[in-house]
């Protein structure tokens, strides 16, 4: 089961994210529709996030399952479910949360790209990709129409990456004290 799951994850990771998003959006959208609903776009972006998060989770789980405290719990007769719940999961979740902020930044870029291409949510919903695309048509006369949404998107992505890095640093510092 693990080998099949990780093979599927590897296959999904081998596709360029934007191409995979476009294919999934076409696959799950009703025939003849070019734009996706908020539900459809959210579903597609969630599917894009799963493989990377699965890889991080698996790597951390394998690392922690080999640590001394897990070996000690096994030696004391702890059942596998208890070891997983009490020893492994509490150590894996912080890394997952830290990575989730970076993954969220990637998903913001993916949604922006879909919106820029006109394949994301329909009006009256607004997204940075739509604002950038609308502003790009007037770059000669009003560059600020594209610049400001780009700047706000950049600052959001920077903040998400900083939050993820800071959470990882806090987690690493906490771990090194033990």
């Amino acid at each position: 089961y693990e080998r099949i799951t990780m093979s599927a994850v590897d296959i999904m990771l081998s596709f360029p994210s934007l191409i995979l998003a476009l294919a999934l959006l076409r696959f799950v959208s009703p025939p003849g529709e070019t734009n996706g609903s908020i539900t459809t776009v959210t579903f597609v972006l969630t599917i894009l996030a799963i493989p990377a998060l699965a890889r991080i989770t698996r790597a951390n789980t394998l690392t922690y399952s080999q640590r001394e405290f897990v070996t000690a719990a096994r030696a004391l007769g702890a059942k596998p479910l208890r070891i997983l719940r009490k020893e492994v999961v509490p150590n894996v979740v912080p890394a997952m949360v830290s990575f989730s902020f970076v993954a969220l930044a990637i998903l913001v870029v993916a949604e922006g790209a879909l919106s820029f291409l006109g394949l994301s949510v329909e009006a009256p919903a607004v997204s940075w990709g739509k604002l950038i695309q609308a502003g790009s048509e007037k770059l000669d006369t009003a560059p600020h129409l594209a610049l400001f949404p780009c700047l706000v998107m950049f600052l959001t992505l920077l903040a998400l990456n900083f939050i993820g890095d800071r959470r990882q640093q806090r987690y690493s510092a906490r771990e090194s004290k033990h």
Side-chain angles (χ1 to χ4, degrees):
Y1 180 73
E2 178 187 359
R3 179 177 271 171
I4 292 169
T5 303
M6 292 318 293
S7 293
V9 165
D10 290 340
I11 289 169
M12 287 181 70
L13 285 172
S14 67
F15 283 101
S17 296
L18 187 56
I19 303 298
L20 185 58
L22 290 170
L24 287 172
L25 198 57
R26 285 288 180 196
F27 182 72
V28 297
S29 295
E33 237 180 76
T34 56
N35 287 5
S37 67
I38 289 176
T39 306
T40 306
V41 172
T42 303
F43 174 75
V44 167
L45 294 176
T46 301
I47 295 299
L48 285 181
I50 289 172
L53 192 56
R55 286 291 250 169
I56 295 294
T57 304
R58 179 178 182 268
N60 280 317
T61 301
L62 291 174
T63 299
Y64 283 107
S65 67
Q66 303 302 317
R67 299 291 271 296
E68 309 81 39
F69 57 87
V70 172
T71 305
R74 273 192 204 112
L76 291 172
K79 301 219 183 306
L81 189 58
R82 187 216 177 275
I83 293 171
L84 183 66
R85 192 176 36 135
K86 295 287 188 178
E87 307 294 342
V88 178
V89 170
N91 288 297
V92 171
V93 168
M96 288 173 55
V97 170
S98 298
F99 180 74
S100 294
F101 282 101
V102 175
L104 183 59
I106 293 167
L107 293 178
V108 168
V109 171
E111 195 284 325
L114 289 173
S115 291
F116 187 85
L117 295 172
L119 298 171
S120 190
V121 294
E122 297 176 347
V126 179
S127 78
W128 285 320
K130 279 185 180 179
L131 293 173
I132 294 166
Q133 194 274 333
S136 70
E137 296 171 357
K138 299 176 182 170
L139 281 176
D140 292 339
T141 58
H144 65 280
L145 293 177
L147 180 65
F148 287 134
C150 286
L151 182 62
V152 173
M153 187 175 182
F154 167 76
L155 292 173
T156 302
L157 298 173
L158 187 64
L160 288 169
N161 281 300
F162 278 150
I163 291 168
D165 287 347
R166 185 74 177 128
R167 294 229 7 118
Q168 184 61 36
Q169 288 171 354
R170 287 179 84 185
Y171 171 66
S172 296
R174 192 187 88 198
E175 182 183 288
S176 65
K177 290 179 184 177
H178 292 283

